[in-house]
Amino acid sequence: MNAQVINSMPDAISKAPPEEMVHIATDQWTQPFWDAAKQHKLVGAKCGNCGKFRLPPSPMCPKCHSQKIDWVHLSGEGTIYTYTIITRAMSPAVEPYIPYVPAVITLEGGGGTRLVSNIVGARVGDIAIGGKVRVIWEDHKDGMTVPHFELVPG
Amino acid sequence: MTIKDKTAIVGIGATPYTKRGQSAPQTMEELIAKAVLKAVDDAGLKITDVDGFAYFAGGHDTSLLTEILGIPEIRFTATLTGAGGGSAGALGLAASAIVGGLAKTVVVVCGVQQAVLRYGTYSSSHPADPYSSFYLYSGLVSPGQAFALLARRHMHLYGTTREQFAEVAMSTRLNALSNPAALMKKPMSKEDYFNAPMISDPHCLFDFCLETDGAVAAVVTSSERAKDLKQKPAYILASTHGGDGNWGRSLYWFNMPDDLFTSSGHNTVAKQLYEMAGVGPKDIDVAQIYDHFTSQVIMQLEDYGFCKRGEGGPFVASGAIRHKGGSIPVNTDGGQLSCAYIWGMSHVKEAVEQIRGTAVNQVKDAELCLVTGGPSNIPMSGLILRR
Ligand SMILES: [Zn+2]
């Protein structure tokens, strides 16, 4: 790991971005992922023919073009692949949510697929590439649920 | 058959560059029309000679431009898909129209005009579709935030530092100081860089390009015809666009293989470009590298072979991209970081001036100039102009 990396706002606790920032849109291929999220379950889209995982779920497997998907329940554990610390709000309404930390998470059991999410409730200085994380769920007022991740101690 | 050497940029025109929102009350079509007229005049042609338009980043309305400018006939009008990644490739699009016999005089033009304030409600600013929902919910709403994820990973894998990002910002600012058209007029020290507010760690304010209003146009015609025109031609030696399938939707996807993740996505475009041109990185005299973010200048220098993968940080820190004393002077007009941001078209303008020998920070006897389009989702693009 690169010892020179020092995170901005190291003593702050990372927040969740405002849920009003986006309203999740779905189609028939992504709907099962968000349906599972509502049940607080993290699932991966695995090709029902060749077994290749893909994220986001798209209409066909890029390897074999099969449209069959096995929705695999994942452990919810993962590893931080990379992250950024948002230290400045793009609009005034976002200011109370600073800092938040978008991160790319390699999902355990996900065949190498990565999910873009947030590290929340963590001391920012403790966030690092390679860090172990676990999914937690945020239920939104619009009925959708999104995955966030917390640091796994140790 | 390729487009190699068969066409040239014979005219270039730009409106004055202003900070975002300051071009009002001029309209967007007005800015574009003014840039087109200047470029046509620069070429020694008449607007009635124009019979084609090529665009990128969503393009503009050719029918409206035809009406405003009084163009008698359009024979070619096309837009490269994607966003700023297509700037250098739009010149290739114009060249292919001419080589293919569809049109004789094609103008590539791009204008930017933004509201004074960017503020809005979140939902109206960031409408989500089923694919973008997968990253937008994380609050990743601007390219500077998305590219920060690549920059962080590059730092992790290769030990790239913010001091090295700072060198890109400072070198580019230095070039802007001697360019009267550049928006940034104040010198930048390393201290200034580190005092700038952090926006999306590791990207601070000075890692971001400017937000500018303005328009730039370039006139392309056949090399044969170019010889008899007013200006010294800037021959389009090669232009390519596209990208590696594994790079794909990149900044909205983040599932690229590890070796591509910390890149600019230009790998295949660069390879094809050098192949078409029959030259390599050592032959390039000066480069206009799409600088929406300092970190991506470093990754493009790697992808275009000026240094090895992972060595872009030390490479810039050695002074290699400086106008004075650098082995490959980069963004000699002050780039998008310190001159103006017109979706990459100011880089095309500067490249033409370097080839003509009329640039404000002229690289002596520059024969070959590389121009890149913005690292983005497919397509990325490249262009090599020759004297
Ligand atoms: Zn398959």
Side-chain angles (χ1 to χ4, degrees):
Chain A
M1 201 159 297
N2 183 358
Q4 285 173 310
V5 173
I6 298 164
N7 288 340
S8 296
M9 304 177 75
D11 294 320
I13 300 298
S14 63
K15 300 177 186 177
E19 62 174 86
E20 295 82 2
M21 203 170 227
V22 67
H23 295 287
I24 304 280
T26 64
D27 61 22
Q28 64 163 325
W29 300 101
T30 67
Q31 186 71 45
F33 177 92
W34 298 107
D35 284 345
K38 283 179 199 172
Q39 320 266 319
H40 293 192
K41 282 178 182 143
L42 187 65
V43 295
K46 187 181 180 187
C47 174
N49 180 50
C50 76
K52 182 184 168 71
F53 280 86
R54 61 188 191 269
L55 191 67
S58 54
M60 56 189 69
C61 169
K63 196 172 157 195
C64 75
H65 298 160
S66 166
Q67 292 195 280
K68 193 165 176 285
I69 295 179
D70 290 338
W71 291 99
V72 180
H73 281 209
L74 303 178
S75 68
E77 310 268 313
T79 308
I80 301 173
Y81 182 77
T82 188
Y83 63 95
T84 179
I85 305 149
I86 310 296
T87 51
R88 189 165 265 220
M90 295 292 288
S91 67
V94 180
E95 248 148 55
Y97 301 87
I98 298 298
Y100 66 91
V101 181
V104 179
I105 310 294
T106 307
L107 300 175
E108 185 182 273
T113 51
R114 307 185 197 115
L115 180 68
V116 184
S117 185
N118 295 93
I119 311 292
V120 302
R123 184 182 164 273
V124 171
D126 293 338
I127 298 170
I129 290 177
K132 297 294 174 200
V133 291
R134 178 194 302 135
V135 73
I136 52 176
W137 298 96
E138 184 181 76
D139 297 323
H140 285 184
K141 290 182 212 70
D142 64 3
M144 298 301 284
T145 296
V146 301
H148 288 156
F149 286 81
E150 61 181 8
L151 292 182
V152 176
Chain B
M1 188 188 95
T2 72
I3 57 170
K4 180 182 178 179
D5 250 349
K6 296 197 176 80
T7 61
I9 301 177
V10 293
I12 196 93
T15 66
Y17 305 136
T18 66
K19 285 188 175 157
R20 70 177 293 151
Q22 292 183 2
S23 58
Q26 295 173 96
T27 63
M28 178 71 139
E29 303 75 43
E30 182 181 352
L31 292 174
I32 293 163
K34 284 175 174 172
V36 172
L37 286 175
K38 275 191 176 182
V40 169
D41 183 58
D42 180 59
L45 291 166
K46 294 193 295 289
I47 190 68
T48 48
D49 293 318
V50 173
D51 60 357
F53 282 97
Y55 315 101
F56 61 100
H60 298 290
D61 182 351
T62 294
S63 64
L64 184 54
L65 284 179
T66 305
E67 180 181 328
I68 291 170
L69 288 163
I71 296 172
E73 185 186 356
I74 293 293
R75 298 172 65 206
F76 181 82
T77 173
T79 304
L80 216 61
T81 59
S87 53
L91 277 300
L93 184 61
S96 20
I98 291 157
V99 173
L102 294 176
K104 286 202 166 96
T105 309
V106 180
V107 174
V108 176
V109 62
C110 180
V112 186
Q113 188 180 43
Q114 300 176 83
V116 178
L117 292 174
R118 164 189 334 110
Y119 301 152
T121 62
Y122 336 90
S123 51
S124 65
S125 321
H126 314 295
D129 62 41
Y131 290 91
S132 65
S133 290
F134 274 85
Y135 67 86
L136 282 175
Y137 86 90
S138 74
L140 218 49
V141 292
S142 88
Q145 297 167 345
F147 277 106
L149 292 166
L150 275 61
R152 168 74 69 198
R153 183 85 189 162
H154 198 277
M155 294 167 89
H156 172 77
L157 286 183
Y158 304 117
T160 312
T161 64
R162 289 194 61 218
E163 277 80 3
Q164 293 160 349
F165 298 162
E167 165 57 19
V168 175
M170 291 189 299
S171 166
T172 316
R173 177 63 59 88
L174 201 57
N175 293 341
L177 296 182
S178 41
N179 179 4
L183 289 175
M184 302 310 276
K185 306 287 187 195
K186 281 186 354 200
M188 185 198 298
S189 65
K190 193 176 272 192
E191 199 182 7
D192 294 332
Y193 175 88
F194 279 96
N195 284 337
M198 185 60 80
I199 307 280
S200 182
D201 188 341
H203 281 163
C204 75
L205 180 67
F206 289 150
D207 294 309
F208 282 68
C209 63
L210 305 174
E211 294 182 295
T212 314
D213 285 2
V216 178
V219 181
V220 183
T221 193
S222 69
S223 294
E224 206 184 333
R225 190 151 162 252
K227 290 189 197 99
D228 304 324
L229 294 178
K230 193 165 121 193
Q231 304 288 354
K232 187 198 281 185
Y235 293 100
I236 297 179
L237 183 60
S239 177
T240 55
H241 72 264
D244 191 318
N246 284 317
W247 173 262
R249 214 159 47 88
S250 61
L251 275 302
Y252 302 131
W253 186 48
F254 296 106
N255 275 267
M256 306 84 94
D258 206 26
D259 61 330
L260 271 184
F261 193 96
T262 47
S263 82
S264 67
H266 271 267
N267 55 334
T268 60
V269 171
K271 184 170 176 285
Q272 303 289 348
L273 186 72
Y274 287 137
E275 264 177 37
M276 183 188 289
V279 304
K282 286 201 165 49
D283 302 309
I284 305 293
D285 300 303
V286 51
Q288 314 304 329
I289 306 279
Y290 199 100
D291 49 342
H292 42 7
F293 306 106
T294 56
S295 54
Q296 278 295 319
V297 172
I298 287 174
M299 292 185 224
Q300 286 173 88
L301 288 166
E302 296 174 4
D303 281 341
Y304 278 89
F306 295 107
C307 57
K308 288 189 184 131
R309 174 68 51 86
E311 292 178 4
F315 182 72
V316 299
S318 75
I321 65 169
R322 293 260 173 165
H323 173 236
K324 286 200 172 63
S327 56
I328 178 70
V330 167
N331 297 347
T332 37
D333 68 340
Q336 304 185 128
L337 292 166
S338 285
C339 175
Y341 177 76
I342 314 288
W343 286 91
M345 277 302 287
S346 55
H347 284 323
V348 174
K349 176 173 181 284
E350 172 65 8
V352 170
E353 288 177 4
Q354 286 288 348
I355 293 300
R356 287 180 183 174
T358 57
V360 284
N361 297 311
Q362 182 64 41
V363 171
K364 199 168 172 288
D365 302 325
E367 280 192 24
L368 295 181
C369 182
L370 170 71
V371 185
T372 71
S376 181
N377 306 341
I378 288 177
M380 278 60 56
S381 64
L383 168 71
I384 297 175
L385 297 182
R386 82 161 174 86
R387 197 160 62 171

